Amino acid sequence: MKVLLATIALNEAEFLADSIRQHASWPGLVGWVVVEGATRNYGAANPEAVTAEGLSTDGTAEVLDGAPVIHIRHGWADGPGAQQKRQLRNRYCSVADELDPDVLIVVDADEFYTRETQQRILEVVQQNAGYDGWLFAQRHLWRPASIADQPAEQLEVVGGYWQVPHLRVWRWERGLRYRVNHNHLTYPGRDRHLVRRPRPGDPECIHYGFARDAAHRARTNRYYVARGEGRERVGRNRKVYVDCRAAFETWQPGDTLPHGARVMPYDGPVPEVFRR
């Protein structure tokens, strides 16, 4: 099975080199595209964290130079609200049209898969070939500033926003693009896709996004608010997302998290690159 990894990146130097070491030998890998760029609403919320060209300020480009990836320096991305990311994501789709993989796997720079999990994902895809996409659960590690001196793999956060699954694995077909939503691809000639949801025993992603530098997390939260999250919408209250993410900035051991979320000991695997 031919696999293309796809990442959009801005100021991701904290975990990017580790991610490349962890995933560069993914079974069946035919390429890895990293699109570097900033949405306009991220730049408006965090002007000090973006260059005039809409690129990283933290050494992300230096990490990518010489790495076994296709580095696309896109820069500024425009569009309506939260959908500005479509421009960035569609850059890796153009490369996918050329490389023609069987599967496109979106890997954020702070999302990690053990090597066993990489193989297991491909097995699940092969065994459930009738789907367009495959959802795999995430384990969200929890290390806010109040416990920044502790191991990242000590705690995890569950419930609330953190129970929302993210669609990362797609069956590739030429012409696939992010046309409506920056999280969901649209297949040519149809507006729906069939997704397999997580099942007991499935492989899981280990997410370090809530175990990273507090300043980076605060910039990300400001961006989510700037792009329109937190407003009450009929049938869809995204304020839950904002409340939960913002709790990272103030949480102290023993605090209660919003919307039924809670912190608990982490008992899952550790990516090989972080094993001591």
Side-chain angles (χ1 to χ4, degrees), residues 37-160:
T39 63
R40 292 288 180 180
N41 40 32
Y42 182 95
N46 304 287
E48 77 292 346
V50 189
T51 70
E53 297 76 26
L55 298 171
S56 304
T57 60
D58 73 338
T60 290
E62 287 75 9
V63 172
L64 294 171
D65 288 344
V69 301
I70 301 167
H71 178 199
I72 297 176
R73 294 172 172 83
H74 179 90
W76 292 112
D78 297 292
Q83 306 313 322
Q84 292 176 358
K85 281 186 178 180
R86 288 182 304 190
Q87 283 191 1
L88 302 174
R89 296 196 184 280
N90 282 332
R91 292 296 302 272
Y92 62 64
C93 289
S94 295
V95 177
D97 277 345
E98 299 172 11
L99 297 180
D100 195 27
D102 298 306
V103 177
L104 174 75
I105 300 179
V106 179
V107 180
D108 284 358
D110 53 19
E111 294 175 344
F112 286 79
Y113 299 86
T114 66
R115 298 199 173 103
E116 179 183 356
T117 295
Q118 295 169 25
Q119 181 62 46
R120 281 281 296 118
I121 286 174
L122 302 188
E123 292 171 0
V124 170
V125 169
Q126 288 178 319
Q127 294 163 5
N128 298 269
Y131 292 91
D132 299 315
W134 294 263
L135 274 166
F136 295 99
Q138 289 188 324
R139 304 287 295 270
H140 300 278
L141 301 182
W142 183 253
R143 186 181 59 179
S146 60
I147 55 170
D149 60 338
Q150 299 182 21
E153 299 85 10
Q154 181 170 290
L155 299 174
E156 68 177 315
V157 61
V158 299

Side-chain angles (χ1 to χ4, degrees), residues 20-269:
I20 292 169
R21 286 194 293 272
Q22 180 67 30
H23 303 118
S25 60
W26 196 296
L29 188 66
V30 297
W32 187 348
V33 186
V34 180
V35 181
E36 184 186 1
T39 63
R40 292 288 180 180
N41 40 32
Y42 182 95
N46 304 287
E48 77 292 346
V50 189
T51 70
E53 297 76 26
L55 298 171
S56 304
T57 60
D58 73 338
T60 290
E62 287 75 9
V63 172
L64 294 171
D65 288 344
V69 301
I70 301 167
H71 178 199
I72 297 176
R73 294 172 172 83
H74 179 90
W76 292 112
D78 297 292
Q83 306 313 322
Q84 292 176 358
K85 281 186 178 180
R86 288 182 304 190
Q87 283 191 1
L88 302 174
R89 296 196 184 280
N90 282 332
R91 292 296 302 272
Y92 62 64
C93 289
S94 295
V95 177
D97 277 345
E98 299 172 11
L99 297 180
D100 195 27
D102 298 306
V103 177
L104 174 75
I105 300 179
V106 179
V107 180
D108 284 358
D110 53 19
E111 294 175 344
F112 286 79
Y113 299 86
T114 66
R115 298 199 173 103
E116 179 183 356
T117 295
Q118 295 169 25
Q119 181 62 46
R120 281 281 296 118
I121 286 174
L122 302 188
E123 292 171 0
V124 170
V125 169
Q126 288 178 319
Q127 294 163 5
N128 298 269
Y131 292 91
D132 299 315
W134 294 263
L135 274 166
F136 295 99
Q138 289 188 324
R139 304 287 295 270
H140 300 278
L141 301 182
W142 183 253
R143 186 181 59 179
S146 60
I147 55 170
D149 60 338
Q150 299 182 21
E153 299 85 10
Q154 181 170 290
L155 299 174
E156 68 177 315
V157 61
V158 299
Y161 157 75
W162 294 284
Q163 68 184 340
V164 178
H166 301 280
L167 187 51
R168 298 288 192 250
V169 182
W170 295 87
R171 178 182 56 78
W172 182 255
E173 181 178 317
R174 281 193 176 95
L176 271 171
R177 292 295 184 273
Y178 294 88
R179 304 187 191 282
V180 179
N181 185 288
H182 73 94
N183 283 318
H184 298 125
L185 285 160
T186 300
Y187 283 84
R190 55 193 174 101
D191 58 4
R192 293 183 180 274
H193 47 256
L194 182 62
V195 175
R196 179 188 182 275
R197 297 190 65 81
R199 299 177 186 175
D202 274 359
E204 297 174 322
C205 170
I206 308 165
H207 180 219
Y208 281 74
F210 295 93
R212 63 186 307 165
D213 175 70
H216 182 282
R217 188 72 246 172
R219 289 194 297 269
T220 302
N221 293 343
R222 286 196 295 270
Y223 154 65
Y224 288 134
V225 174
R227 79 181 192 184
E229 289 197 20
R231 295 197 300 264
E232 299 283 349
R233 302 178 187 178
V234 175
R236 192 178 189 188
N237 182 7
R238 295 295 289 267
K239 190 174 184 298
V240 172
Y241 292 21
V242 172
D243 292 346
C244 286
R245 289 167 174 151
F248 178 87
E249 300 179 43
T250 60
W251 183 87
Q252 298 284 333
D255 284 356
T256 300
L257 289 172
H259 304 291
R262 66 189 189 279
V263 175
M264 58 191 298
Y266 176 67
D267 62 359

